Amino acid sequence: MKKLVSLLLVMVMMFSLVACGSKTDVVEETTAGTTASTEATTEAVQSLDGTISVQVESSWLEYYQAAAERVKAENPNATIEFIEVASFDHIDTIEKTDISNADVADVFALPADRIYSLSENQVLASMDAKAMAAKVGGFADYDAGLGGNFNIDGEYLAFPMNIETLINFVNTANAATAGIDLTKPIEFTTLKPEEMLVPVFDAWFGVSFINSANIQLLAKKDDGTLYSDLTEDWANLPADKQAVFIALFNYWQAHDKAGTSLWDSNAAWGYMDSAFTTGGQTSIRLEGPWSTGSLSNLAGEGKDLSILPITQVTLNGKPLSHWKGGWGLGINARIEGDEAKMMLAERFIEEVVNTDYAVDFFKATGKILENVDPAVYASSDLSDADKSVVAAVIESYKDAPARPLFTEWGSVWDTWKNGLLSWAAVKPANVEAAYAEVQASFKAMMLNF
């Protein structure tokens, strides 16, 4: 036993003597190796080296490029390429071809109402939206807002880009001439037919009237069954819903007698622009924030323009109300298995909606972030008109109903339009006859479900 112990002690001493001459070198090499390994690991975690393509509209390009530069400053090996194309044109390309098409980007913008059809066609990759939201910040309840609308069967298929809804644009000079008090609620049915122009045959605008009485053009019951209030006979419609159609019928009849172009789907837009010009007969236009520039030009180059929330106009005493609409940023499903591309795509989306650049984002795109305090816009260097637009959108959005996103709702657009436009040809003598035209359109639509 003692021999064994002695032998072991000798071996330890020999090892120590051999190591002694290079002790410093060994320590230095070990330390250097550990440091290099730590740096490499840190860089692997922090730096992204994927390559992605991003769809961008021409007017957004400068902002997107700046966002890309911020991402690449953190990740010098990352590559972000841009495909300059309008958002709807890009989606059309996806629907006409497929996601493998080189003209289809890895990251792209999409309206919320397309989320179901894109999901069904397996266009969108699932993203870690909750983690992204935590990094971006500002979401009081992510799932209760726009983010929840992008959750399909437990997967988040887009990240909130902006909120949108309709607001009222006012030509103050025309309103003064007409004696319209802009400080109080404005009742639509007491206005003269041309004092407020709304192309109600287009469901995008028409729902603002419909929503005031909670009329369901197409909805789903808890069991998934589809129904429409407008298949009901006139006599069975509740009085408040009848009142909406009485107002619409009177509106059409007045314009029909006056011979205006409001019920002409092609000529209505030019007519409305002409009438809204300072000196014209129209004081109020129901439009989206994207129309600020064009309507400002018509209203004395902006000096006669004012912005009001949609709710300041009432119909039969009830505020007009549009939808909680919005857009998201999605990721092409073709890169879902490529971790480097997915991580870069998510990081770029986070930077596009970086709340530190919310004002710049609005200046470039006209888009308003739902997770930014309104005070940020109000205290910014935006013009007074832009500040009014932002405030009106946020106020109008607050109490608006959720936009219907299920795929079948797409059938409503033409159904409503055909029903309303038929009045110009049929010339219904009364509201019951006018409603019957709309009812027939919706009964026909429901046969498809």
Side-chain angles (χ1 to χ4, degrees):
M1 183 70 177
K2 290 182 179 179
K3 288 183 178 180
L4 178 58
V5 172
S6 299
L7 181 60
L8 288 173
L9 288 172
V10 170
M11 291 178 65
V12 169
M13 291 176 66
M14 289 178 63
F15 179 79
S16 298
L17 289 171
V18 171
C20 184
S22 58
K23 182 177 180 181
T24 303
D25 292 341
V26 170
V27 171
E28 288 178 352
E29 288 176 8
T30 303
T31 302
T34 301
T35 302
S37 176
T38 301
E39 289 177 351
T41 301
T42 301
E43 184 174 348
V45 171
Q46 294 182 346
S47 182
L48 307 176
D49 59 3
T51 297
I52 60 170
S53 59
V54 176
Q55 171 267 329
V56 59
E57 300 210 4
S58 298
S59 59
W60 307 351
L61 184 58
E62 186 176 350
Y63 177 85
Y64 269 48
Q65 287 173 330
E69 290 305 314
R70 294 194 296 270
V71 172
K72 288 191 288 186
E74 304 169 351
N75 309 282
N77 295 323
T79 301
I80 300 172
E81 302 166 342
F82 293 108
I83 298 175
E84 196 172 336
V85 60
S87 300
F88 283 113
D89 290 343
H90 183 260
I91 291 174
D92 286 344
T93 299
I94 295 174
E95 293 178 341
K96 291 175 182 177
T97 59
D98 58 61
I99 58 175
S100 65
N101 187 333
D103 292 329
V104 175
D106 296 321
V107 175
F108 55 91
L110 59 120
D113 67 316
R114 295 291 189 97
I115 193 70
Y116 276 88
S117 61
L118 293 173
S119 171
E120 288 175 355
N121 293 327
Q122 300 183 337
V123 169
L124 299 167
S126 175
M127 63 178 71
D128 194 356
K130 283 294 191 69
M132 293 168 68
K135 294 175 187 175
V136 172
F139 293 97
D141 187 339
Y142 185 78
D143 285 325
L146 190 57
N149 290 333
F150 296 132
N151 185 334
I152 308 298
D153 297 328
E155 293 187 323
Y156 293 97
L157 301 181
F159 193 82
M161 186 181 192
N162 68 287
I163 59 171
E164 65 181 23
T165 192
L166 296 183
I167 54 179
N168 289 306
F169 291 82
V170 180
N171 187 312
T172 54
N174 294 353
T177 300
I180 299 173
D181 186 348
L182 303 178
T183 66
K184 299 177 180 179
I186 302 165
E187 172 56 39
F188 178 81
T189 59
T190 66
L191 295 173
K192 294 178 180 177
E194 289 190 85
E195 288 180 345
M196 180 173 180
L197 292 183
V198 183
V200 290
F201 60 81
D202 185 328
W204 179 255
F205 298 92
V207 295
S208 300
F209 289 66
I210 294 300
N211 286 343
S212 69
N214 194 31
I215 296 174
Q216 298 297 325
L217 300 181
L218 185 65
K220 280 187 176 182
K221 297 179 181 179
D222 291 340
D223 63 1
T225 304
L226 293 166
Y227 72 95
S228 172
D229 287 345
L230 301 190
T231 59
E232 290 289 340
D233 289 340
W234 174 258
N236 296 330
L237 278 184
D240 60 335
K241 292 177 171 45
Q242 287 185 348
V244 170
F245 279 92
I246 292 171
L248 289 174
F249 173 75
N250 291 338
Y251 192 47
W252 163 76
Q253 194 172 58
H255 279 275
D256 187 59
K257 289 179 179 177
T260 76
S261 300
L262 189 60
W263 247 255
D264 184 324
S265 60
N266 294 316
W269 313 101
Y271 157 63
M272 290 190 297
D273 285 350
S274 177
F276 189 74
T277 303
T278 296
Q281 293 179 290
T282 299
S283 300
I284 306 171
R285 283 276 300 272
L286 185 63
E287 272 288 357
W290 48 85
S291 298
T292 303
S294 60
L295 294 181
S296 178
N297 291 337
L298 296 174
E301 298 300 322
K303 69 180 180 65
D304 298 328
L305 186 69
S306 182
I307 314 294
L308 300 176
I310 189 174
T311 51
Q312 193 156 336
V313 175
T314 61
L315 180 69
N316 302 315
K318 297 180 180 179
L320 296 188
S321 178
H322 193 232
W323 280 324
K324 279 184 167 68
W327 283 64
L329 289 162
I331 300 174
N332 193 322
R334 73 184 173 204
I335 71 169
E336 195 159 17
D338 190 323
E339 185 177 2
K341 286 180 180 289
M342 282 295 298
M343 290 177 66
L344 182 57
E346 290 182 348
R347 179 67 192 92
F348 179 75
I349 290 173
E350 291 167 3
E351 196 58 39
V352 168
V353 295
N354 186 333
T355 57
D356 290 342
Y357 299 92
V359 174
D360 292 335
F361 187 49
F362 178 81
K363 289 178 181 178
T365 66
K367 295 186 178 297
I368 302 165
L369 298 176
E370 74 169 310
N371 52 319
V372 171
D373 190 316
V376 171
Y377 296 106
S379 62
S380 71
D381 62 351
L382 290 173
S383 68
D384 290 341
D386 282 342
K387 289 179 181 179
S388 295
V389 167
V390 173
V393 168
I394 292 173
E395 178 66 23
S396 301
Y397 186 88
K398 183 172 60 178
D399 296 323
R403 180 174 180 173
L405 299 177
F406 54 93
T407 304
E408 294 90 344
W409 210 95
S411 299
V412 170
W413 299 108
D414 285 340
T415 302
W416 174 262
K417 185 175 183 178
N418 292 338
L420 267 286
L421 288 181
S422 71
W423 295 355
V426 175
K427 308 287 186 186
N430 52 49
V431 66
E432 290 91 339
Y435 174 77
E437 297 294 325
V438 177
Q439 181 192 35
S441 291
F442 277 83
K443 280 187 172 181
M445 179 189 77
M446 294 306 294
L447 294 176
N448 296 319
F449 306 132

PDB file of all heavy atoms in Angstrom, residues 44-56:
ATOM      1  N   ALA A  44     -23.147  34.342 -31.846  1.00  0.00           N
ATOM      2  CA  ALA A  44     -24.116  33.442 -32.459  1.00  0.00           C
ATOM      3  C   ALA A  44     -25.518  33.737 -31.964  1.00  0.00           C
ATOM      4  O   ALA A  44     -26.488  33.635 -32.693  1.00  0.00           O
ATOM      5  CB  ALA A  44     -23.739  31.995 -32.158  1.00  0.00           C
ATOM      6  N   VAL A  45     -25.609  34.124 -30.686  1.00  0.00           N
ATOM      7  CA  VAL A  45     -26.907  34.427 -30.114  1.00  0.00           C
ATOM      8  C   VAL A  45     -27.417  35.779 -30.598  1.00  0.00           C
ATOM      9  O   VAL A  45     -28.576  35.955 -30.932  1.00  0.00           O
ATOM     10  CB  VAL A  45     -26.832  34.410 -28.571  1.00  0.00           C
ATOM     11  CG1 VAL A  45     -28.129  34.934 -27.966  1.00  0.00           C
ATOM     12  CG2 VAL A  45     -26.550  33.000 -28.084  1.00  0.00           C
ATOM     13  N   GLN A  46     -26.540  36.776 -30.659  1.00  0.00           N
ATOM     14  CA  GLN A  46     -26.950  38.143 -30.922  1.00  0.00           C
ATOM     15  C   GLN A  46     -26.981  38.505 -32.405  1.00  0.00           C
ATOM     16  O   GLN A  46     -27.721  39.377 -32.813  1.00  0.00           O
ATOM     17  CB  GLN A  46     -26.011  39.102 -30.180  1.00  0.00           C
ATOM     18  CG  GLN A  46     -26.123  38.999 -28.661  1.00  0.00           C
ATOM     19  CD  GLN A  46     -25.212  39.986 -27.962  1.00  0.00           C
ATOM     20  OE1 GLN A  46     -24.325  40.570 -28.574  1.00  0.00           O
ATOM     21  NE2 GLN A  46     -25.431  40.182 -26.680  1.00  0.00           N
ATOM     22  N   SER A  47     -26.139  37.872 -33.200  1.00  0.00           N
ATOM     23  CA  SER A  47     -26.016  38.278 -34.597  1.00  0.00           C
ATOM     24  C   SER A  47     -26.782  37.335 -35.516  1.00  0.00           C
ATOM     25  O   SER A  47     -26.710  36.112 -35.375  1.00  0.00           O
ATOM     26  CB  SER A  47     -24.538  38.312 -34.996  1.00  0.00           C
ATOM     27  OG  SER A  47     -24.395  38.741 -36.328  1.00  0.00           O
ATOM     28  N   LEU A  48     -27.532  37.913 -36.452  1.00  0.00           N
ATOM     29  CA  LEU A  48     -28.304  37.139 -37.417  1.00  0.00           C
ATOM     30  C   LEU A  48     -27.626  37.235 -38.782  1.00  0.00           C
ATOM     31  O   LEU A  48     -27.153  38.304 -39.176  1.00  0.00           O
ATOM     32  CB  LEU A  48     -29.729  37.687 -37.507  1.00  0.00           C
ATOM     33  CG  LEU A  48     -30.476  37.824 -36.171  1.00  0.00           C
ATOM     34  CD1 LEU A  48     -31.836  38.462 -36.388  1.00  0.00           C
ATOM     35  CD2 LEU A  48     -30.617  36.478 -35.483  1.00  0.00           C
ATOM     36  N   ASP A  49     -27.577  36.125 -39.477  1.00  0.00           N
ATOM     37  CA  ASP A  49     -26.875  36.138 -40.758  1.00  0.00           C
ATOM     38  C   ASP A  49     -27.728  35.622 -41.920  1.00  0.00           C
ATOM     39  O   ASP A  49     -27.234  35.169 -42.920  1.00  0.00           O
ATOM     40  CB  ASP A  49     -25.576  35.342 -40.669  1.00  0.00           C
ATOM     41  CG  ASP A  49     -25.815  33.885 -40.267  1.00  0.00           C
ATOM     42  OD1 ASP A  49     -26.993  33.500 -40.111  1.00  0.00           O
ATOM     43  OD2 ASP A  49     -24.831  33.142 -40.126  1.00  0.00           O
ATOM     44  N   GLY A  50     -29.041  35.687 -41.752  1.00  0.00           N
ATOM     45  CA  GLY A  50     -29.923  35.227 -42.817  1.00  0.00           C
ATOM     46  C   GLY A  50     -30.059  36.246 -43.939  1.00  0.00           C
ATOM     47  O   GLY A  50     -29.552  37.373 -43.869  1.00  0.00           O
ATOM     48  N   THR A  51     -30.760  35.843 -44.989  1.00  0.00           N
ATOM     49  CA  THR A  51     -31.078  36.723 -46.116  1.00  0.00           C
ATOM     50  C   THR A  51     -32.583  36.653 -46.357  1.00  0.00           C
ATOM     51  O   THR A  51     -33.134  35.557 -46.509  1.00  0.00           O
ATOM     52  CB  THR A  51     -30.342  36.293 -47.393  1.00  0.00           C
ATOM     53  OG1 THR A  51     -28.938  36.403 -47.178  1.00  0.00           O
ATOM     54  CG2 THR A  51     -30.738  37.180 -48.573  1.00  0.00           C
ATOM     55  N   ILE A  52     -33.245  37.799 -46.355  1.00  0.00           N
ATOM     56  CA  ILE A  52     -34.692  37.829 -46.584  1.00  0.00           C
ATOM     57  C   ILE A  52     -35.039  38.906 -47.605  1.00  0.00           C
ATOM     58  O   ILE A  52     -34.301  39.872 -47.794  1.00  0.00           O
ATOM     59  CB  ILE A  52     -35.480  38.096 -45.283  1.00  0.00           C
ATOM     60  CG1 ILE A  52     -35.083  39.448 -44.660  1.00  0.00           C
ATOM     61  CG2 ILE A  52     -35.312  36.957 -44.296  1.00  0.00           C
ATOM     62  CD1 ILE A  52     -35.987  39.898 -43.520  1.00  0.00           C
ATOM     63  N   SER A  53     -36.201  38.716 -48.239  1.00  0.00           N
ATOM     64  CA  SER A  53     -36.756  39.737 -49.130  1.00  0.00           C
ATOM     65  C   SER A  53     -37.995  40.321 -48.460  1.00  0.00           C
ATOM     66  O   SER A  53     -38.710  39.617 -47.747  1.00  0.00           O
ATOM     67  CB  SER A  53     -37.121  39.136 -50.484  1.00  0.00           C
ATOM     68  OG  SER A  53     -38.066  38.096 -50.344  1.00  0.00           O
ATOM     69  N   VAL A  54     -38.229  41.609 -48.687  1.00  0.00           N
ATOM     70  CA  VAL A  54     -39.323  42.317 -48.022  1.00  0.00           C
ATOM     71  C   VAL A  54     -40.127  43.106 -49.046  1.00  0.00           C
ATOM     72  O   VAL A  54     -39.561  43.858 -49.837  1.00  0.00           O
ATOM     73  CB  VAL A  54     -38.779  43.283 -46.942  1.00  0.00           C
ATOM     74  CG1 VAL A  54     -39.915  44.079 -46.316  1.00  0.00           C
ATOM     75  CG2 VAL A  54     -38.007  42.517 -45.879  1.00  0.00           C
ATOM     76  N   GLN A  55     -41.445  42.926 -49.032  1.00  0.00           N
ATOM     77  CA  GLN A  55     -42.332  43.726 -49.885  1.00  0.00           C
ATOM     78  C   GLN A  55     -42.471  45.113 -49.288  1.00  0.00           C
ATOM     79  O   GLN A  55     -42.647  45.266 -48.082  1.00  0.00           O
ATOM     80  CB  GLN A  55     -43.706  43.045 -49.985  1.00  0.00           C
ATOM     81  CG  GLN A  55     -44.778  43.884 -50.673  1.00  0.00           C
ATOM     82  CD  GLN A  55     -45.619  44.709 -49.685  1.00  0.00           C
ATOM     83  OE1 GLN A  55     -45.831  44.301 -48.556  1.00  0.00           O
ATOM     84  NE2 GLN A  55     -46.069  45.873 -50.110  1.00  0.00           N
ATOM     85  N   VAL A  56     -42.403  46.137 -50.145  1.00  0.00           N
ATOM     86  CA  VAL A  56     -42.522  47.500 -49.653  1.00  0.00           C
ATOM     87  C   VAL A  56     -43.169  48.371 -50.720  1.00  0.00           C
ATOM     88  O   VAL A  56     -42.875  48.228 -51.911  1.00  0.00           O
ATOM     89  CB  VAL A  56     -41.137  48.077 -49.260  1.00  0.00           C
ATOM     90  CG1 VAL A  56     -40.180  48.084 -50.452  1.00  0.00           C
ATOM     91  CG2 VAL A  56     -41.267  49.478 -48.670  1.00  0.00           C
TER      92      VAL A  56
END
